[in-house]
Amino acid sequence: MRAVELFCGIGGFAAAVEGTGVHVVAALDQDDAALATYRLNFSGHGARKVDLERVSAWELTAGGVDLWWLSPPCQPYCERGVRRDLADPRARSLVHILDLAARMSDEALPRHLALENVAGFVGSEAHGRLTEVLASRGYRLQERLLCPTELGIPSRRPRYYLAASRQALAPVKTSSPLVRKPLAEYLDPLPAKGQPAELLLSPSIVERFGAGFRILDPADSDAYTTCFTSGYGRSLTASGAYLRCNDGVRRFSPEEIARLLHFPPSFRFPEEVPLRKRWQLVGNSLSVAAVREVLRALPLPAEEG
């Protein structure tokens, strides 16, 4: 099955379908650092810089494509923002792609489509436009809100997911949330020479703002992180959790956040990407485990091997 990964970022969808019969034939984004990270980890996926406000139907369907994955910008629908919805310029790329989908021939359209966004996307004008276009083109839709904590991961990241297909969709299996794994399993090994200085918060910041921080004890079996945003490392509050350590209080490393998102152990960043940019990239990324769960609704090929 041939897939195109739109708004590909650092490759959350690519990680989710790795080892399956789904082959990413194109991965499109506009962020240079995200594309460099993607290419380092998922070579051969045709990752390239494309302005998705102007992408052509040919670029989305060349060679025959079975599946589109979309992770469009979430800022127009975020609770922390002004929620300008379709009036936000960052919504133009999704609108453009939906306009293409509304006009394409039946033969050119992919059989399947899936999308991720923040929970605030539900009920927006963009959400209405998305479901209207897909229903008019004969897709069956399955929508759900899903948080990694339901999958046994100690990280809160509730998101809206849509699976759409021109074939029958598998029903969502309702089950009790899985027992959460301990946070300690996702953390970096303890460094011999103390925590890296760039991760540590100054005692004065902790003293002044610490009451508003979510500071976790790595030995707490019930600990879970709040949602890491693209502002982590830049904004002190409402951008993610912190960790108590022998040297005081520290931020989570980008690699730890990638593990909480369930990127594979081999995942890494290019050396030239600075720390703050790494935080931004993982803050904009996907829960790989949640994507895998959502894709179970689609009639995808079985795992290889």
Side-chain angles (χ1 to χ4, degrees), residues 147-294:
C147 181
T149 55
E150 299 173 52
L151 305 175
I153 301 167
S155 181
R156 256 192 105 253
R157 196 179 182 85
R159 290 292 185 269
Y160 163 81
Y161 294 93
L162 175 139
S165 179
R166 292 183 159 191
Q167 300 171 234
L169 291 160
V172 175
K173 293 182 179 179
T174 56
S175 58
S176 300
L178 300 176
V179 176
R180 274 204 308 267
K181 295 180 180 179
L183 179 63
E185 289 188 12
Y186 294 86
L187 302 180
D188 295 334
L190 290 174
K193 298 182 179 180
Q195 296 292 340
E198 62 268 24
L199 296 183
L200 289 169
L201 296 180
S202 71
S204 62
I205 286 178
V206 176
E207 182 178 358
R208 185 177 179 186
F209 302 106
F213 294 164
R214 183 173 178 80
I215 301 175
L216 305 176
D217 181 348
D220 182 358
S221 60
D222 292 324
Y224 64 90
T225 65
T226 45
C227 183
F228 293 100
T229 74
S230 60
Y232 194 66
R234 174 171 46 86
S235 175
L236 285 171
T237 59
S239 60
Y242 298 92
L243 199 64
R244 198 171 299 285
C245 62
N246 292 337
D247 300 310
V249 175
R250 71 168 177 88
R251 296 179 176 92
F252 282 74
S253 72
E255 291 74 17
E256 289 171 326
I257 300 172
R259 284 187 214 113
L260 285 162
L261 293 173
H262 273 225
F263 276 82
S266 60
F267 181 84
R268 61 196 191 279
F269 294 94
E271 292 184 6
E272 66 272 15
V273 176
L275 179 61
R276 184 165 288 184
K277 183 63 177 180
R278 296 183 187 197
W279 275 321
Q280 180 187 353
L281 293 175
V282 291
N284 280 331
S285 195
L286 304 166
S287 168
V288 174
V291 172
R292 285 197 186 112
E293 180 66 21
V294 169

Side-chain angles (χ1 to χ4, degrees), residues 8-231:
C8 67
I10 59 176
F13 173 79
V17 299
E18 199 165 40
T20 74
V22 177
H23 299 278
V24 180
V25 296
L28 313 179
D29 206 292
Q30 297 186 71
D31 188 294
D32 291 323
L35 287 167
T37 306
Y38 189 109
R39 294 182 187 117
L40 179 65
N41 291 280
F42 308 104
S43 59
H45 283 200
R48 63 185 188 274
K49 189 172 184 176
V50 172
D51 182 354
L52 291 170
E53 289 184 30
R54 297 172 176 80
V55 67
S56 68
W58 180 87
E59 289 177 282
L60 299 180
T61 59
V65 172
D66 304 295
L67 168 65
W68 285 354
W69 172 269
L70 298 90
S71 297
C74 64
Q75 293 88 346
Y77 325 104
C78 281
E79 292 182 5
R80 292 186 68 195
V82 294
R83 304 184 75 166
R84 296 177 61 199
D85 206 339
L86 292 184
D88 192 312
R90 290 166 290 193
R92 290 173 186 162
S93 50
L94 175 60
V95 171
H96 173 65
I97 292 166
L98 292 176
D99 286 345
L100 292 178
R103 299 195 305 265
M104 282 182 187
S105 68
D106 282 347
E107 294 75 21
L109 278 172
R111 287 181 291 150
H112 317 293
L113 182 147
L115 176 144
E116 175 267 0
N117 214 288
V118 292
F121 183 78
V122 179
S124 67
E125 292 180 70
H127 173 250
R129 174 70 173 152
L130 169 71
T131 54
E132 177 187 21
V133 168
L134 294 179
S136 71
R137 298 311 310 267
Y139 287 94
R140 306 178 190 191
L141 309 182
Q142 185 180 103
E143 302 176 276
R144 65 189 295 191
L145 295 175
L146 180 63
C147 181
T149 55
E150 299 173 52
L151 305 175
I153 301 167
S155 181
R156 256 192 105 253
R157 196 179 182 85
R159 290 292 185 269
Y160 163 81
Y161 294 93
L162 175 139
S165 179
R166 292 183 159 191
Q167 300 171 234
L169 291 160
V172 175
K173 293 182 179 179
T174 56
S175 58
S176 300
L178 300 176
V179 176
R180 274 204 308 267
K181 295 180 180 179
L183 179 63
E185 289 188 12
Y186 294 86
L187 302 180
D188 295 334
L190 290 174
K193 298 182 179 180
Q195 296 292 340
E198 62 268 24
L199 296 183
L200 289 169
L201 296 180
S202 71
S204 62
I205 286 178
V206 176
E207 182 178 358
R208 185 177 179 186
F209 302 106
F213 294 164
R214 183 173 178 80
I215 301 175
L216 305 176
D217 181 348
D220 182 358
S221 60
D222 292 324
Y224 64 90
T225 65
T226 45
C227 183
F228 293 100
T229 74
S230 60

